[in-house]
C-alpha cells in the first residue's frame, strides 16, 4: 500500500501549506480560489480517512454553498475599513506556534489505539432504526445535538434577515432573461433534486442524510437564483417561514411526545424509530435548503450582473 | 402521574416559543410574553423539584451516558434558569415598553433563552459546545440589530472572538474524548488522570471559556458590544448571556479538572480576575458615557466571579453563584435605566444626566438600589455574595483576595455615586425631555428590588446551593 | 508515524495557521476566512483521532461531531459575512454623506446624481429599518 | 493480469496522460482562453478514459452506470463553465493573445 | 490493479498541486478560477479511483455530488465576482507576445458598486448597474 501512504503523505503535507496560502495572500480573490482548493483537498483527506459522510458534507457545502457565499463578498470586501487595531502578526505568530506546540505534544501523548465508542454504537444499532452508524448517532443516540444544531441554523437565518432585510432590494432584481446559466440550471437542477432525494433515502443505510441532501438542494436553488428562475427567499412571507420551521417543529414534536407518556426527551419508540428518522430527515432537508439559500438574500442578487441578453461578439 | 421532566421542559418551552416567534414575525410580542410565562413556570417547578429531590438526571433519548447525552440539573443550574426566567421576562416587558426595539428582538432573545437553559442543564461536553454556539449566534444577532457602524463592528468582533473561544474549548473536548472515549462531564472527571493530555486539554478549554466570558486581558470585545447594542439587547447580553461561559467554566472546574491541577491554575485565574476587577472599575470611572461605564463595570464584576477558582468549593462557590444571580438582576436593571435615560434625553453622555433625578425619579431609584449590589453593601444580594467570598478567602488564609473585594467595592461605589451625583445636581438649563414610558421604568425597578430581595431572603437559595447558613 | 498521526498533525498545523490568521489580519473578511480554516483543521484532527479505533471502521461518534461542527461553522460564517456586508454598506453610505456635505455647490452629474438620489441614510437611533 | 484488466489499465494510464496534458496546458498556454481549452477539453477526456477504465472492471452494472452519470454531469458543467469563465474574462477586459 | 489505481490517484493529486502555480501566477481572477475548474474535474477523478477499492463505494456518491456542484462556484464567479475590472489584463506581462496592456480604466470603483446596491432608486439602478459595468470594447 505504499501508493496509499504516499497519497496520505501528499495530502497531509499540502493541507497546512494550502491553509497558510489561503490565510496569507493579501488578494481576497486569490484567497477564495485557494479556499475552494483547500475544501477539495480536504474532501480527499476525508475520503482517505474512511469518513465518507464528512467528505460528502464537505463536497456538498464546500463547493456548493461556501464557494458562492465567498464570491458574493468580492464586490464589497475591499471597501470595508479594516478592524481598528493594527494587526499584530508577530504576536499572533508566537501565540499560534505556542498553541500548536502544546497541542502537538498532547496529541503525541495520546494512547496509540483506542476502541472509542464504536462497540457501544454498533451494539445498539439494531434498535436504533437505521443501519448506518453515523446516522444512528446523529439522529438517535445524540439527536439532541442535532436538534440544537437545527436551531443554530434558524438563529443564523434570523440574524441574516435582521442584518440584510429585503425591504426594497427585491424590486431591483433584473427580470428573468434567457442566459447561459439558465441552460445550465435546466440541465443540472433536476439532477440536484434527484440526488438530494437519493441522499436522504440512502442516509438510513449508507453515508448520506439531511445535511448533505439539504446542501445539494440549496446548490440547485443557487443555480436557479442566478438564472433568475427563482426569486430570493422571501423571509417576510409567512408561508416561507412555515416551510422553514416545519423541520424544527416536527423534530420538537417527536422530541416532546414521549415526555407526555412519562418517557424521556427524544426517546424514539423502537418500532417506529426508522420511520420517524426518515420523516424528520426529509422535512429537515427543506429547512436546511431554505436556510442555505437565505445566505443569498435579495441585496446580494440585486448587485449581481444581469444576464446578458445578447452574446457580445469580439470586434 | 410521575413528575413531568421539568429539566427537559425548561429547554423545550423557550425553543418552541422561539420558533413560533419566528413564525409570527412582526406580531412576535404576544408569543414572547406567553413563552416567558411558560418558561418561568417551568423554572419554578424545576427549582421546587431540585429543592425536594436534589440533583435530577435525564438521559436524553433513553440512551445511557457514554452513548447518549445526559441532562443534569443541580442547585446551580436551577437557580441560573430561575434568574434567566426573571430577568428574561422583565426584558421582554421592557422591550415592549421601549419603542425603539426592533421586532426581531423577541425571536433572537427567545433563542438565546433556549440556549441558556440548554447550557445550564447539560452535562455533556460537546452539547455544551453546541449550546455555546447557539448563544454566540443569538448574541451577535442581538448586537447587530442596531444598524450603526459601531454596533456592526462590535457584533463582528463578538462573533469572531466567540468562535475562536469555542474552537479552543472544542479542541479540549476532542483531546479528552480521544483519551477517555466519553463526553459526559462526571465520567470524564472520574477517568481524567494528571498528564500531558489532561493538562493541555484543560488549558485549552479554560482559555476558550475565559475568552468567551471576557476575562481580563481578553475583555476588549465586551464594552463596544454592550454599548452599541439596542437597549433591550444590552439588558439580556449584560445580564445573562455574559455569564454563560463562566457557568460552563465552573462546571468544568469542579467536575472535570483533577484536584492536583486546581491550585496553580486557580491562582492564575484568580490573579487575572483580580486584575480585571480593579482594571474594569478604574476604566468605568473614566468613561464619559453611561452604557460604556456599565459595560466596564460588568468586566469588573466578572473579575470577582473568577476569584472562586483559587478559593475552591463550599461557601466560595455559593458566593460566586449568588453574585451571578444578584449581578444579573442588578446589571439588567441598570442597563434598562440607561436605555430609559437614552430614550429620554437623546444620548447617554454623563453630561446630559445633570439634574435629571427630579424628572426621572423611578429610574434613579433603580440605579441607586441596583448600585447597592455592585458596591456589595448590605442588604443587597451583592453583599451576601461578597460576604461569602470574603469569608472563604479569610478561612483559606488567602487574605489578599479579601483586599481585592474591598478595594473593588470602593471603586464600584465611586462610579455609582459619580452617576448619582450628576443626576442630583441642580439642572443647568431646563432641557425638555421626553417622558420615559412608565412601562419601561417598572421592570427596571422590579429587577432592582429582586437584587435587593436576594440579599434579604438569602436563606432558601443558599440552601439550594448546599451552603445555607 | 501511522496514517492517523500524519493527518492529526496536519490538521493541527492547519488549525494553528487558521488561528494565526484570525489574530494577525486586520481585514474583517480575511479574519472570517481564517476562523473557517481553523475550524476545518480542528475537524480533521477529530476525524484523524477517530481513525485510531482498532475496529475496522473508524469510530462513528467523532464523524457525527464533525458533521455538527461543519453545519454550525457554516452558519456562523454566513452570519459574520452578512454583518460584514451590512457594515460595508453602512460605511459606504456614511462616506457618501461626507462627500455630499463637502461639495454642496453644483450637483455633480452622472453617477453622483444617481448616488445623490439615494434614500436617506438609514435612520439613526437603535431600531433597524422596519 | 487478464486481458480486461490490461485494457482497463491502459485506459487509466491514457486518462492520466490527458490530465497531465491539461495541467501542462494550464501552465504553458499564453492566455485565459487557450488555458480554458486545455482544462475543460483535455481533463474532460481524461476523466472519460478513467471512467471507462473503471467501468470495465466495475463490480456491477449499476456501478458502471453511476460512473457514466458522473462523467456526463462533469461534461455538462465543464463545457458551460468554460463558456461562463470565457465571457467573464472577456467582460473583465482580458485581451486574447495574438502572435506578433 | 489496485496498485495502479492508487498510483494514478497519486499522480492526479500531484497534477492538482502543480496546477496551484497558476493560482499564484495567474494575472486575472479568471485565470485563478481555472484552478477551481481543474479542482472539480481532477477531484472527481481521484474520488472515483479511490471509490473503486473495496468497501469505499460511498465515495462514488461524493464524486457524484462534486460533479453536480462544481459549476455552482463558477456561476457565482461569473455573476457576482467578475464585475470588477482586471488591473493587469492579458497574458503574463513577462510573456514575449504580451500586447500593450489595455487602458486600465477602472470604470467601476467598488464604492460605486456598493452604493448602487444600497441605492433605493427604482428600476434605474438595475439599468445603472448594467451601464456602469459594461466595459468599453478593448482596442
Amino acid at each position: 500500500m505504499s501508493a496509499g501512504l504516499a497519497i496520505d503523505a501528499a495530502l497531509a503535507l499540502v493541507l497546512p501549506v494550502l491553509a497558510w496560502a489561503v490565510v496569507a495572500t493579501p488578494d481576497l480573490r486569490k484567497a477564495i480560489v485557494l479556499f475552494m482548493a483547500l475544501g477539495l483537498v480536504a474532501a480527499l483527506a476525508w475520503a482517505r480517512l474512511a469518513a465518507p459522510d464528512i467528505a460528502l458534507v464537505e463536497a456538498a457545502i464546500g463547493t456548493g454553498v461556501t464557494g458562492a457565499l465567498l464570491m458574493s463578498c468580492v464586490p464589497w470586501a475591499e471597501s470595508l475599513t479594516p478592524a481598528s487595531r493594527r494587526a499584530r502578526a508577530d504576536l499572533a505568530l508566537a501565540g499560534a506556534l505556542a498553541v500548536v506546540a502544546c497541542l502537538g505534544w498532547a496529541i503525541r501523548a495520546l494512547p496509540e489505539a483506542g476502541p472509542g465508542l464504536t462497540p457501544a454504537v454498533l451494539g445498539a444499532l439494531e434498535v436504533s432504526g437505521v443501519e448506518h452508524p453515523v446516522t444512528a448517532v446523529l439522529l438517535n443516540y445524540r439527536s439532541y445535538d442535532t436538534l440544537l444544531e437545527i436551531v443554530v441554523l434558524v438563529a443564523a437565518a434570523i440574524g441574516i434577515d435582521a442584518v440584510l432585510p429585503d425591504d426594497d432590494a427585491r424590486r431591483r432584481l433584473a427580470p428573468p432573461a434567457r442566459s447561459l446559466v439558465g441552460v445550465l440550471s435546466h440541465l443540472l437542477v433536476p439532477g440536484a433534486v434527484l440526488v438530494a432525494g437519493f441522499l436522504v433515502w440512502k442516509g438510513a443505510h449508507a453515508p448520506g442524510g439531511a445535511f448533505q441532501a439539504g446542501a445539494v438542494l440549496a446548490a440547485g436553488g443557487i443555480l436557479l437564483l442566478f438564472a433568475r428562475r427563482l426569486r430570493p427567499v422571501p423571509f417576510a412571507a409567512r408561508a416561507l417561514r412555515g416551510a422553514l420551521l416545519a423541520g424544527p417543529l416536527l423534530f420538537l414534536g417527536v422530541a416532546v411526545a414521549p415526555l407526555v407518556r412519562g418517557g424521556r426527551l427524544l426517546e424514539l419508540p423502537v418500532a417506529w424509530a426508522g420511520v420517524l428518522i426518515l420523516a424528520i430527515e426529509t422535512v429537515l432537508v427543506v429547512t436546511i435548503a431554505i436556510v442555505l439559500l437565505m445566505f443569498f438574500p435579495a441585496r446580494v442578487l440585486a448587485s449581481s450582473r444581469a444576464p446578458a441578453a445578447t452574446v457580445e461578439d469580439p470586434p | 402521574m410521575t413528575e413531568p421532566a421539568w429539566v427537559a421542559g425548561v429547554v423545550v418551552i423557550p425553543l418552541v416559543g422561539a420558533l413560533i416567534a419566528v413564525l409570527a414575525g412582526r406580531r412576535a410580542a404576544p408569543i414572547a410574553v406567553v413563552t416567558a410565562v411558560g418558561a418561568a413556570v417551568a423554572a419554578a417547578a424545576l427549582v421546587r423539584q431540585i429543592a425536594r429531590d436534589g440533583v435530577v438526571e435525564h438521559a436524553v433519548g433513553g440512551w445511557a451516558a457514554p452513548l447518549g447525552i445526559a441532562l443534569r440539573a443541580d442547585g446551580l443550574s436551577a437557580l441560573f434558569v430561575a434568574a434567566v426566567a426573571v430577568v428574561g421576562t422583565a426584558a421582554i416587558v421592557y422591550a415592549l415598553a421601549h419603542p425603539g426595539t426592533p421586532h426581531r428582538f423577541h425571536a433572537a432573545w427567545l433563542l438565546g433563552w433556549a440556549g441558556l437553559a440548554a447550557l445550564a442543564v447539560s452535562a455533556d461536553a460537546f452539547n455544551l459546545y453546541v449550546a455555546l454556539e447557539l448563544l454566540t449566534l443569538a448574541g451577535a444577532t442581538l448586537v447587530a440589530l442596531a444598524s450603526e457602524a459601531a454596533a456592526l463592528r462590535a457584533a463582528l468582533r463578538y462573533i469572531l472572538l466567540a468562535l475562536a473561544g469555542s474552537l479552543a474549548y472544542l479542541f479540549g473536548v476532542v483531546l479528552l474524548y480521544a483519551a477517555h472515549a466519553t463526553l459526559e462531564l462526571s465520567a470524564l472527571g472520574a477517568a481524567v488522570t494528571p498528564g500531558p493530555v489532561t493538562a493541555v486539554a484543560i488549558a485549552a478549554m479554560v482559555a476558550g471559556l475565559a475568552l468567551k466570558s471576557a476575562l481580563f486581558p481578553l475583555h476588549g470585545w465586551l464594552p463596544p458590544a454592550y454599548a452599541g447594542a439596542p437597549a433591550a439587547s444590552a439588558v439580556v447580553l449584560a445580564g445573562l448571556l455574559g455569564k454563560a461561559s463562566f457557568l460552563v467554566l465552573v462546571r468544568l472546574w469542579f467536575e472535570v479538572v483533577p484536584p492536583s491541577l486546581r491550585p496553580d491554575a486557580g491562582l492564575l485565574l484568580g490573579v487575572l480576575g483580580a486584575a480585571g476587577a480593579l482594571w474594569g472599575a478604574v476604566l468605568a470611572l473614566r468613561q464619559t458615557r453611561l452604557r460604556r461605564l456599565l459595560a466596564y463595570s460588568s468586566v469588573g464584576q466578572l473579575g470577582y466571579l473568577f476569584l472562586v477558582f483559587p478559593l475552591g468549593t463550599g461557601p466560595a462557590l455559593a458566593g460566586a453563584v449568588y453574585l451571578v444571580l444578584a449581578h444579573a438582576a442588578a446589571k439588567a436593571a441598570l442597563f434598562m435605566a440607561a436605555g430609559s435615560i437614552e430614550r429620554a434625553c437623546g444620548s447617554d453622555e454623563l453630561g446630559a444626566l445633570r439634574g435629571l433625578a427630579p424628572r426621572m425619579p423611578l429610574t434613579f431609584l433603580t440605579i441607586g438600589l441596583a448600585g447597592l449590589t455592585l458596591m456589595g453593601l448590605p442588604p443587597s444580594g451583592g453583599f451576601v455574595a461578597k460576604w461569602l467570598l470574603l469569608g472563604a478567602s479569610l478561612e483559606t488564609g488567602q487574605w489578599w483576595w479579601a483586599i481585592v473585594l474591598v478595594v473593588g467595592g470602593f471603586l464600584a461605589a465611586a462610579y455609582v455615586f459619580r452617576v448619582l451625583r450628576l443626576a442630583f445636581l441642580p439642572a443647568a438649563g431646563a432641557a425638555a425631555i421626553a417622558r420615559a414610558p412608565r412601562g419601561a421604568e417598572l421592570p427596571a425597578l422590579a429587577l432592582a428590588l429582586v437584587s435587593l430581595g436576594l440579599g434579604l431572603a438569602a436563606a432558601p437559595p443558599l440552601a439550594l446551593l448546599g451552603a445555607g447558613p | 508515524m501511522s496514517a492517523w498521526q500524519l493527518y492529526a498533525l496536519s490538521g493541527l498545523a492547519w488549525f494553528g495557521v487558521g488561528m494565526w490568521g484570525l489574530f494577525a489580519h486586520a481585514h474583517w473578511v480575511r479574519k472570517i476566512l481564517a476562523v473557517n480554516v481553523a475550524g476545518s483543521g480542528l475537524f480533521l484532527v477529530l476525524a484523524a483521532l477517530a481513525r485510531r479505533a482498532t475496529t475496522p471502521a473508524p469510530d462513528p461518534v467523532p464523524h457525527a461531531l464533525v458533521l455538527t461542527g461543519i453545519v454550525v461553522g457554516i452558519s456562523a460564517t454566513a452570519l459574520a459575512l452578512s454583518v460584514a456586508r451590512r457594515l460595508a454598506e453602512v460605511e459606504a453610505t456614511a462616506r457618501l454623506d461626507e462627500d455630499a456635505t463637502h461639495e454642496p455647490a453644483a450637483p455633480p452629474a452622472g453617477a453622483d446624481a444617481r448616488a445623490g438620489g439615494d434614500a436617506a441614510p438609514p435612520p439613526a437611533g437603535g431600531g433597524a429599518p422596519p | 493480469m487478464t486481458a480486461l484488466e490490461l485494457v482497463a489499465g491502459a485506459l487509466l494510464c491514457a486518462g492520466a496522460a490527458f490530465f497531465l496534458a491539461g495541467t501542462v496546458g494550464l501552465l504553458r498556454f499564453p492566455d485565459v482562453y487557450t488555458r480554458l481549452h486545455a482544462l475543460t477539453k483535455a481533463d474532460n477526456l481524461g476523466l472519460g478514459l478513467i471512467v471507462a477504465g473503471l467501468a470495465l472492471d466495475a463490480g456491477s452494472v449499476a456501478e458502471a452506470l453511476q460512473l457514466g452519470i458522473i462523467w456526463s454531469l462533469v461534461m455538462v458543467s465543464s463545457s458551460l463553465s468554460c463558456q461562463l469563465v470565457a465571457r467573464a474574462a472577456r467582460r473583465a477586459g482580458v485581451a486574447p493573445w495574438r502572435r506578433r | 490493479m489496485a496498485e495502479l489505481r492508487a498510483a494514478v490517484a497519486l499522480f492526479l493529486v500531484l497534477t492538482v498541486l502543480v496546477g496551484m502555480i497558476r493560482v499564484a501566477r495567474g494575472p486575472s481572477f479568471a485565470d485563478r478560477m481555472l484552478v477551481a475548474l481543474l479542482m472539480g474535474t481532477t477531484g472527481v477523478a481521484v474520488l472515483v479511483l479511490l471509490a473503486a477499492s473495496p468497501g469505499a463505494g460511498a465515495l462514488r456518491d461524493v464524486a457524484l455530488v462534486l460533479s453536480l456542484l462544481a459549476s455552482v462556484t463558477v456561476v457565482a464567479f461569473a455573476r457576482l465576482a467578475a464585475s470588477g475590472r482586471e488591473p493587469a489584463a492579458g497574458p503574463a506581462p513577462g510573456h514575449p507576445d504580451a500586447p500593450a496592456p489595455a487602458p486600465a480604466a477602472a470604470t467601476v470603483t467598488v464604492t460605486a458598486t456598493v452604493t448602487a446596491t444600497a441605492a433605493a432608486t427604482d428600476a434605474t439602478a438595475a439599468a445603472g448597474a448594467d451601464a456602469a459595468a459594461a466595459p468599453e470594447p478593448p482596442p
Side-chain angles (χ1 to χ4, degrees), chain A residues 185-305:
Chain A
S185 59
H186 271 305
L187 293 169
L188 290 185
V189 169
V193 174
L194 270 177
V195 167
F198 165 59
L199 286 176
V200 174
W201 172 255
K202 197 165 78 72
H205 51 277
F211 303 122
Q212 297 88 339
V216 168
L217 206 58
I222 290 169
L223 280 182
L224 289 175
L225 279 179
F226 285 131
R228 300 292 191 274
R229 295 283 187 287
L230 184 69
R231 311 238 353 124
V233 172
F235 195 76
R238 169 155 313 182
L240 181 276
R241 287 204 302 272
L244 172 79
L245 295 168
L249 286 174
L250 172 70
F251 206 159
L252 267 169
V254 168
V256 172
L259 285 179
V260 173
R261 285 183 282 96
R264 279 180 285 259
L265 186 72
L266 279 168
E267 191 170 6
L268 305 179
V270 175
W272 290 88
V275 173
L276 281 176
I277 286 179
L278 187 59
I280 292 175
E281 287 219 281
T282 312
V283 188
L284 279 185
V285 167
V286 175
T287 303
I288 292 165
I290 291 176
V291 173
L292 293 178
L293 276 178
M294 280 187 68
F295 295 172
F296 304 90
R299 272 168 198 263
V300 171
L301 294 161
S303 73
S304 69
R305 162 172 306 292

Side-chain angles (χ1 to χ4, degrees), chain E residues 2 6 17 24 28 41 44 67 69-70 72 75-76 85 97-98 100 102 108 125 132-133:
Chain E
L17 306 185
S28 72
T41 320
V44 168
S67 61
L69 305 186
V72 172
V75 164
R85 286 293 295 234
D97 302 325
V108 178

Side-chain angles (χ1 to χ4, degrees), chain A residues 5 7-9 11-12 15-16 19-20 22-26 28 31 35 38 42 45-46 48-51 53-54 57-58 61 66 69-70 72-73 76-83 85 87-89 92-93 96 99-100 103-104 107-108 110-118 121 133-134 137-138 142 145 149 152-153 156 159-160 163-164 211-212 295 299-300 303, chain C residues 1-31 33-34 36-37 40 43-45 47-55 57-72 74-89 91-92 95 119 128-130:
Chain A
L5 205 56
I7 292 182
D8 291 338
L11 292 178
L15 281 171
W20 183 80
V22 167
V23 169
T25 44
L28 181 64
F35 187 82
L38 181 65
W46 300 128
R48 284 297 302 170
L49 275 168
D53 297 81
I54 309 175
V57 170
E58 182 78 38
I61 289 190
T66 315
L69 185 62
L70 290 172
S72 72
C73 298
W76 52 266
E78 275 76 20
S79 79
L80 198 55
T81 53
R85 276 197 320 278
R88 298 178 306 280
L93 185 64
V99 164
V100 166
L103 295 172
I107 288 179
R108 295 290 299 200
L110 278 173
E112 178 60 27
L117 281 178
T118 319
V121 171
V134 175
V137 172
L138 265 179
R142 296 187 68 90
D145 273 349
E149 179 199 323
V152 166
L153 269 173
I160 290 170
V163 165
L164 296 173
F211 303 122
Q212 297 88 339
F295 295 172
R299 272 168 198 263
V300 171
S303 73
Chain C
M1 182 53 126
S2 50
W4 72 265
Q5 269 185 337
L6 207 63
Y7 280 112
L9 294 178
S10 164
L12 175 62
W14 184 354
F15 174 79
V17 163
M19 281 305 201
W20 168 74
L22 169 62
F23 293 108
H25 293 310
H27 192 281
W28 290 114
V29 176
R30 293 182 65 190
K31 279 175 180 277
L33 212 56
N36 221 313
V37 163
S40 303
F43 297 142
L44 182 64
V45 170
L49 296 180
R51 197 69 185 88
R52 282 178 318 145
T54 45
T55 53
D59 182 355
V61 170
H63 290 189
L65 302 186
V66 170
L67 285 181
T68 307
I70 287 179
V71 172
V72 164
I74 185 80
S75 312
T77 306
L79 182 62
L81 287 176
S82 304
V83 171
R85 182 190 180 96
R86 174 74 176 174
L87 180 60
E89 282 176 11
E91 282 177 351
R95 224 172 281 132

